[in-house]
Amino acid sequence: MTEDEFRLFAEKEGYTAPEFKTQPPNAFFDQHAHKDDLIAFIQDGEFIAETDKNRKSFKAGELCIVEAGLVHTDSVGRDGAKYLMAWRAAQTPKA
């Protein structure tokens, strides 16, 4: 995925305008959940999302999707991370 593709995806899917973020090496975010859906496009470095059932590492060019309410931790690789992120109101599951 490219940055342009990410921006188009975010707009098409109803996310907010992407915002640029940086995190220092080895940053850690304790267990939490978001009230809204989150997408992140990793531009540089490594970002790791972990739940009690799964651990996934995201690197440059990859898309991370975190649904609202999912309890998880986040951490950053040894070189830090740069990414774009966008939010949208939690989606109601379709019956």
Side-chain angles (χ1 to χ4, degrees), residues 18-94:
E19 54 187 285
F20 180 72
K21 297 284 186 179
T22 62
Q23 297 297 339
N26 304 312
F28 179 77
F29 303 92
D30 209 357
Q31 194 172 61
H32 63 283
H34 305 285
K35 70 178 183 78
D36 294 325
D37 293 332
L38 166 69
I39 56 174
F41 172 67
I42 311 308
Q43 295 180 306
D44 190 38
E46 179 183 25
F47 199 85
I48 303 149
E50 186 169 357
T51 68
D52 61 346
K53 297 179 183 175
N54 191 21
R55 181 180 192 272
K56 175 78 171 129
S57 171
F58 299 90
K59 296 185 178 173
E62 295 184 319
L63 176 67
C64 174
I65 300 173
V66 180
E67 294 179 353
L70 179 67
V71 177
H72 65 286
T73 61
D74 300 313
S75 57
V76 177
R78 66 180 183 199
D79 296 324
K82 296 177 183 177
Y83 55 97
L84 290 170
M85 61 186 276
W87 302 90
R88 76 172 175 195
Q91 302 296 292
T92 305
K94 296 178 182 173

